[in-house]
Amino acid sequence: GFPRERIFAYEYDTSAGNNDAAVANLDGFIADVKAKTGASQVDILAHSRGTTVMHTYLSTPERAASVRKYVNFDGRWATALPGGVPTLAIWGEGDQTRTIVGAENVYFPDRAHTEVTTSAASFVEVYEFLMGQKPEVKRVVPENPKRIRVAGRVLAFPQNIGLDGGHLDIYEVDSKTGQRVSSKPIYSKALDASGNFGPVKVNGTAHYEFAAQTTGGYTIHNYPEPFERSDYFYRVLDAPALRPFIEQSPNHSSVTVTRMREFWGNQTDPDGNDSLTFNGFEVINGAIAPRNRRILAVFNFDKNSDGVSDTSASLSPFSSIGFLTGVDNYMPASADHSGKIAVTESMRGKKRHEETINVPNWPSGGDTISVFFRDYAAKEWKGKKKAKGPKAN
C-alpha cells in the first residue's frame, strides 16, 4: 500500500559511542523527505537503538511537530508518549514489563528482537496503525519476475558509509553451481561515497552475484535468494573492521550468512531450532547460536588454517559482538573457484522452509563470500488468471 517513492531509509554510523550525530542529522534527512514528497509531516518506524535516537529526537517539540505517527520496535520504553506523538509500540521476546504509557502496546512472545519488525503479524499492526484500516494481504506477494528492479547501496559496516572508490559488478549465475553464466556482467558501476547503485533489471526467478571490489584489494561476492519483488533497499555489506579476525588463505573459503530473522540453536523443541549447513555440515547448535544472542550473521572460516572444523564454541571476537557469531568451518577452496559450496538453511517452525544457495569456493585470501537469505518462506509467481470471454455461438 505504500508507493516506493514515499519510503526512505535513514542510516547512520552505529560504531559511534553516542547518538548525537544520528539525532542531529535527522533534521536534514526529514527536511529532505518532506521536500521530495510535499508532505508536511512524516511517519517514522524505528528499531532497537534507533528507538533511542527517536526518543531523543522527539523530546524537542519543534522536531516532534514534523512527525505524524511513530512506531517503536522492541527498544526504548517510556512513561509518556515520545514528544506527544501517537505511538505504536511492538515488543518481542515475551517481556510484557516493557511499555510506553499512552501508546498502543502490542506483544509477540514468540517473535525475536529483529524478527518482530518484519513478521506478517507485525505488518498488520503497523499498517492498520498508519493507514486506519487493515491491509488486503499480510504476506509478501510475488511480482511478475520480468518486471523486477533492484537498487541499493554497497556499504562498510558498522559505519554505514559507501565504498568510495570501489566497483560493483552484477552477474547472473547458474543456480546449480553458483558459477557466472557469462563473463560479462549485466550491470557495472564505479562506486562513490554514497555507495548507491541501480536500479537494474533482474529476473525474479534467476540467481545473481553482486561482486563488490573494495579499495582494500579484496572482492565481496554477495549471493542473495532470487528477488520476488522489486527491492530498492538492497544492501551489500563489507566489514573491514572484522576482516583481521577472519583467517585468510588460498586453501580455504570464508562464507558469511545473514538473515533478518534470528538463528536459534538451543531450543528444547526441535521445531524451534534453525539449521544451516555447508555441503551438509551443520553449524547451528546451542553453543553457536543460543536464542539470547539474537544471531543474524554467521561468519564461517577455517580458524588457524588447520583444515579442521569445530562447532563447540563461537569464535572470538564474534562471540562478544551483538547479533554475530563465528564458526571454525573448514571449506576447501580452489584457485579457479570451480568448486561448489551448497549453503542450505532450514527455517524453524513446524512447516520448515528450506532453501539452498550454491556458491563457488572462492579462496579467502582475496575474496570473501556472503549469502543473504530471506526472513520468510519464499513463494512462487503464479501469474494472473485471464478473464474468460463470452462463449462463441
Side-chain angles (χ1 to χ4, degrees):
F2 291 87
R4 183 174 59 246
E5 63 272 14
R6 297 181 73 85
I7 302 175
F8 302 83
Y10 178 63
E11 292 162 295
Y12 56 95
D13 182 358
T14 57
S15 69
N18 59 59
N19 295 321
D20 295 348
V23 172
N25 292 335
L26 254 179
D27 289 320
F29 179 84
I30 292 176
D32 184 55
V33 170
K34 293 198 298 187
K36 288 178 178 177
T37 61
S40 60
Q41 291 182 304
V42 298
D43 295 332
I44 296 183
L45 291 74
H47 173 234
S48 196
R49 180 174 175 174
T51 65
T52 299
V53 172
M54 280 308 302
H55 281 236
T56 303
Y57 186 85
L58 293 172
S59 65
T60 303
E62 294 78 12
R63 287 168 162 168
S66 289
V67 181
R68 184 184 75 105
K69 291 186 176 182
Y70 167 56
V71 179
N72 189 99
F73 279 114
D74 211 49
R76 283 283 301 275
W77 53 92
T79 56
L81 291 175
V85 175
T87 298
L88 169 66
I90 295 183
W91 310 99
E93 308 286 8
D95 182 1
Q96 297 195 23
T97 63
R98 299 176 296 170
T99 189
I100 294 179
V101 177
E104 181 181 345
N105 291 275
V106 179
Y107 299 89
F108 291 104
D110 295 324
R111 303 287 198 280
H113 177 65
T114 296
E115 176 188 14
V116 78
T117 65
T118 58
S119 74
S122 294
F123 167 73
V124 172
E125 296 289 344
V126 172
Y127 191 97
E128 187 170 10
F129 173 69
L130 296 179
M131 306 299 290
Q133 62 186 38
K134 291 185 180 296
E136 292 184 13
V137 295
K138 65 179 182 179
R139 307 241 176 232
V140 177
V141 179
E143 287 182 288
N144 186 328
K146 298 179 180 179
R147 297 180 180 177
I148 291 179
R149 303 291 187 274
V150 176
R153 301 179 71 195
V154 183
L155 301 175
F157 168 86
Q159 294 81 10
N160 293 317
I161 55 176
L163 296 191
D164 193 8
H167 192 94
L168 176 68
D169 291 313
I170 302 177
Y171 298 89
E172 184 176 349
V173 300
D174 186 329
S175 63
K176 295 180 180 179
T177 64
Q179 300 293 337
R180 298 168 183 173
V181 300
S182 172
S183 60
K184 183 179 180 180
I186 66 166
Y187 177 85
S188 184
K189 185 182 181 183
L191 299 170
D192 58 23
S194 72
N196 290 334
F197 69 88
V200 55
K201 181 180 179 181
V202 300
N203 187 311
T205 62
H207 286 250
Y208 293 90
E209 171 198 349
F210 291 69
Q213 301 169 28
T214 72
T215 56
Y218 55 93
T219 300
I220 305 159
H221 303 273
N222 175 269
Y223 301 89
E225 285 189 56
F227 293 91
E228 289 184 315
R229 296 186 62 84
S230 291
D231 186 346
Y232 279 61
F233 293 92
Y234 191 67
R235 298 294 184 261
V236 178
L237 298 180
D238 184 22
L242 293 174
R243 187 167 172 79
F245 302 100
I246 298 175
E247 215 77 33
Q248 299 161 37
S249 165
N251 300 320
H252 56 74
S253 300
S254 67
V255 183
T256 301
V257 176
T258 305
R259 187 184 74 189
M260 292 297 104
R261 187 187 190 211
E262 288 83 348
F263 287 96
W264 291 353
N266 66 336
Q267 302 302 286
T268 54
D269 180 356
D271 289 332
N273 291 314
D274 294 282
S275 171
L276 180 63
T277 64
F278 298 77
N279 289 338
F281 178 69
E282 179 67 69
V283 301
I284 298 298
N285 58 38
I288 298 298
R291 178 173 175 170
N292 66 345
R293 293 230 36 241
R294 300 170 171 177
I295 300 302
L296 300 174
V298 185
F299 288 76
N300 297 265
F301 56 91
D302 184 18
K303 181 67 174 177
N304 299 320
S305 295
D306 56 7
V308 177
S309 298
D310 181 2
T311 63
S312 62
S314 176
L315 298 175
S316 177
F318 305 92
S319 57
S320 59
I321 303 174
F323 312 111
L324 310 184
T325 192
V327 183
D328 183 359
N329 182 5
Y330 170 59
M331 294 167 285
S334 57
D336 61 356
H337 54 83
S338 59
K340 181 181 76 174
I341 303 172
V343 185
T344 302
E345 70 147 4
S346 182
M347 196 180 297
R348 64 180 181 271
K350 293 188 180 299
K351 296 181 180 179
R352 298 184 75 86
H353 164 65
E354 186 169 290
E355 185 75 25
T356 295
I357 297 179
N358 295 307
V359 301
N361 61 341
W362 297 92
S364 59
D367 302 270
T368 182
I369 305 165
S370 63
V371 172
F372 188 81
F373 285 110
R374 299 188 189 99
D375 58 322
Y376 59 91
K379 295 183 180 296
E380 293 183 3
W381 162 254
K382 300 295 185 182
K384 293 183 178 180
K385 294 182 179 179
K386 293 183 179 179
K388 293 183 178 179
K391 293 182 178 180
N393 291 328

